[in-house]
Amino acid sequence: YWFEVAECARRLLLASAIGMLDPESSASSVAGQLIAVFSFVVFAKLEPYKTAENNILAEMLAISLFLFFLAAFMIKLDAAGDGESDQKVFGVLLVMVLGAAPVAVFVKFVYEYAPALCMACGGAKSEPDGADKGDEVDMGMKPEEHAGEEEAKQGGVSLGSKARLMDRSVT
């Protein structure tokens, strides 16, 4: 939760500091680039989010923001020139650069949530080998854990645990 203060400060800097600078000068785009680079360094060094994927996503968005301000700077300086082919190439590169982060977010969403959505919508469920439809199978548990679960239900020692004990005594 502590990082929310830093994130709010970054957003205020982006909105107010850049808005206060002269819109006709290139100073606003340079200030945006500096804020974006500083944000990237903070995200890379501190890794404020719980998962590595979210930290990488924040870094990618900081890079995307930097490239956005770099493109604004290049437009101010008329770096693409007056040639029509140069303008087209610059436009395509700009769309690719600015679209990379949203595409990465979409791919991450599909990768994480599409299998669960397919299962929730009644997608094909595969039964494990040897399991009847009435059998209760937990795919997240190891066979040893299933054996321990059976022991607890029966209040005694199962065959699986006897076999493990025998394996330990032999080796």
Side-chain angles (χ1 to χ4, degrees):
Y1 71 92
W2 59 270
F3 192 72
E4 287 298 318
V5 175
E7 183 64 19
C8 286
R10 181 186 75 89
R11 291 179 185 180
L12 282 172
L13 273 174
L14 283 171
S16 62
I18 293 172
M20 289 182 181
L21 297 173
D22 183 21
E24 297 300 319
S25 73
S26 59
S28 60
S29 59
V30 171
Q33 289 176 15
L34 292 174
I35 294 169
V37 167
F38 180 75
S39 300
F40 173 76
V41 171
V42 167
F43 288 135
K45 293 290 182 182
L46 295 181
E47 296 181 346
Y49 300 107
K50 288 183 181 180
T51 63
E53 293 87 13
N54 288 342
N55 287 315
I56 291 170
L57 186 61
E59 292 170 14
M60 286 177 52
L61 291 173
I63 291 170
S64 178
L65 187 64
F66 169 78
L67 293 173
F68 172 77
F69 283 114
L70 179 65
F73 183 70
M74 291 174 68
I75 289 170
K76 290 246 189 232
L77 296 179
D78 197 26
D82 291 331
E84 188 175 324
S85 64
D86 291 339
Q87 292 287 335
K88 285 183 181 180
V89 168
F90 183 70
V92 168
L93 289 174
L94 186 61
V95 168
M96 287 173 49
V97 164
L98 294 179
V103 168
V105 170
F106 178 74
V107 167
K108 182 179 186 289
F109 173 79
V110 169
Y111 179 74
E112 285 185 6
Y113 297 109
L117 290 174
C118 289
M119 295 300 282
C121 293
K125 296 180 183 176
S126 62
E127 296 292 330
D129 292 339
D132 294 332
K133 296 232 181 231
D135 290 346
E136 182 180 328
V137 177
D138 184 7
M139 297 301 289
M141 293 179 69
K142 298 176 184 170
E144 303 89 47
E145 292 171 341
H146 278 294
E149 191 177 72
E150 289 298 321
E151 288 175 28
K153 285 181 185 175
Q154 295 174 1
V157 178
S158 68
L159 292 176
S161 63
K162 286 181 183 176
R164 283 193 304 276
L165 289 173
M166 289 174 49
D167 286 341
R168 289 183 192 148
S169 64
V170 171
T171 57

